[in-house]
Amino acid sequence: MNDELRVGPQTRITLHFAVRLMDGTEMDSTFGGEPATFVWGDGSLLPGFERAILGLKAGDRRSVFIDAQSGFGEYNEQNVQHFRRDTFAAPDGMEVGTVMNFADAAGAELPGVVSALDEQWVTVDFNHPLAGRELTFEVEIVRVEHDAPEQTVKLN
């Protein structure tokens, strides 16, 4: 029976989730909206979150503690960079908390948050906003299905 299928490799999972800081502040949630669907191991969930739901079945609900390492990683001071203010196109429009997109070495988009600025320098933090934070991950499994790999039909 499909109702007893458990979360794990080769499954497609539909779930509601909420991510909260330890003080209860909700950072993200699908409760009250549309549930999220993903395939186990597709990179949609961080490994720590995937491990937290391994073995659950439709109807299961859990609240799980996620430490910083298993969540968004430890805060890394090397991800804080300093730029000359005059290198920005609109240096006067910046303020602390502004999110800006930069290009990394491979040309991919990399968001950074202005964490400090003065007359000459802009400090940008490239850490994930939840890096170094312990979290609570609340999850309710809506559906677990077999994820059939796409079949390629060869016609002669």
Side-chain angles (χ1 to χ4, degrees):
M1 241 174 91
N2 226 12
D3 290 338
E4 294 303 310
L5 187 60
R6 295 186 178 269
V7 172
Q10 299 171 347
T11 58
R12 175 179 303 278
I13 302 101
T14 301
L15 54 74
H16 278 293
F17 72 90
V19 176
R20 296 185 183 95
L21 300 178
M22 296 310 292
D23 68 3
T25 303
E26 191 168 272
M27 302 307 291
D28 195 8
S29 177
T30 63
F31 288 102
E34 289 297 312
T37 299
F38 72 99
V39 174
W40 179 266
D42 72 358
S44 295
L45 285 185
L46 293 169
F49 292 90
E50 273 194 346
R51 280 192 300 276
I53 65 171
L54 182 63
L56 299 182
K57 64 185 185 315
D60 285 350
R61 189 169 182 145
R62 295 275 164 19
S63 185
V64 182
F65 169 77
I66 305 284
D67 65 21
Q69 190 63 41
S70 299
F72 292 91
E74 297 294 341
Y75 189 85
N76 184 346
E77 284 294 333
Q78 293 181 352
N79 290 340
V80 177
Q81 302 291 318
H82 306 280
F83 300 94
R84 290 191 55 81
R85 192 172 179 139
D86 59 14
T87 61
F88 291 90
D92 295 332
M94 286 187 291
E95 55 188 50
V96 171
T98 300
V99 177
M100 304 178 77
N101 287 319
F102 295 80
D104 67 11
E109 200 170 272
L110 182 65
V113 178
V114 174
S115 58
L117 46 86
D118 61 26
E119 294 297 318
Q120 292 187 320
W121 295 97
V122 177
T123 303
V124 180
D125 189 343
F126 290 100
N127 284 289
H128 187 282
L130 297 177
R133 305 294 292 267
E134 295 179 331
L135 306 166
T136 302
F137 178 57
E138 183 181 346
V139 62
E140 179 180 359
I141 306 298
V142 175
R143 189 169 44 255
V144 181
E145 305 166 291
H146 288 286
D147 180 52
E150 289 185 27
Q151 300 291 323
T152 305
V153 177
K154 200 173 193 181
L155 300 174
N156 292 336

